[in-house]
Amino acid sequence: MTLFWRMAPWLPRLLLLLATMLFFLIGFKYLGDPVNRAASDSIVLGSVMAISRVRVGFGGFPLALSLILLGCLLSPKHLLTGLTVLAITVGVVTAARLLGIAIDGPADEAVRLLRVEIILLALSVSAIILERARLRRLERL
């Protein structure tokens, strides 16, 4: 067995772990302090409902996604599902970012985040391909 195939089970898991931590940190920050997190992007929250929407949209959803990814990470039979959820999520976020850049213009931070999202999307798709190849290889053995 080559070094590549010995590493193959761990690379998708590492990506899923890192994505789980990323979405957890994003969610946790906005869940705990939505006003100051929004203010750091020059967003002014003018009502209790605005604070609640930021807390749910920027805190609750990423935190929920992190828990879904964690569950998939801890269950070997759901690893491919977790990678697919990650790829779909990052794909939609990347498309939304591209739309925003096309409509609103290329803010420096938006372009910087777009680069990260494209890399994460490419890694997610690569991890899906790797995991599928690994599973096919195991079936043949």
Side-chain angles (χ1 to χ4, degrees), residues 92-110:
V92 170
V93 167
T94 303
R97 178 91 53 209
L98 283 168
L99 180 65
I101 289 171
I103 293 171
D104 306 324
D108 289 339
E109 175 118 14

Side-chain angles (χ1 to χ4, degrees), residues 22-69:
L22 172 70
F23 285 108
F24 177 83
L25 291 173
I26 292 169
F28 188 75
K29 286 179 182 179
Y30 275 95
L31 198 65
D33 190 10
V35 174
N36 286 326
R37 293 303 309 160
S40 69
D41 289 325
S42 300
I43 300 170
V44 178
L45 304 177
S47 69
V48 172
M49 192 63 211
I51 296 169
S52 177
R53 286 187 182 177
V54 167
R55 183 172 277 134
V56 171
F58 290 79
F61 279 103
L63 196 56
L65 177 61
S66 75
L67 294 175
I68 291 167
L69 296 178

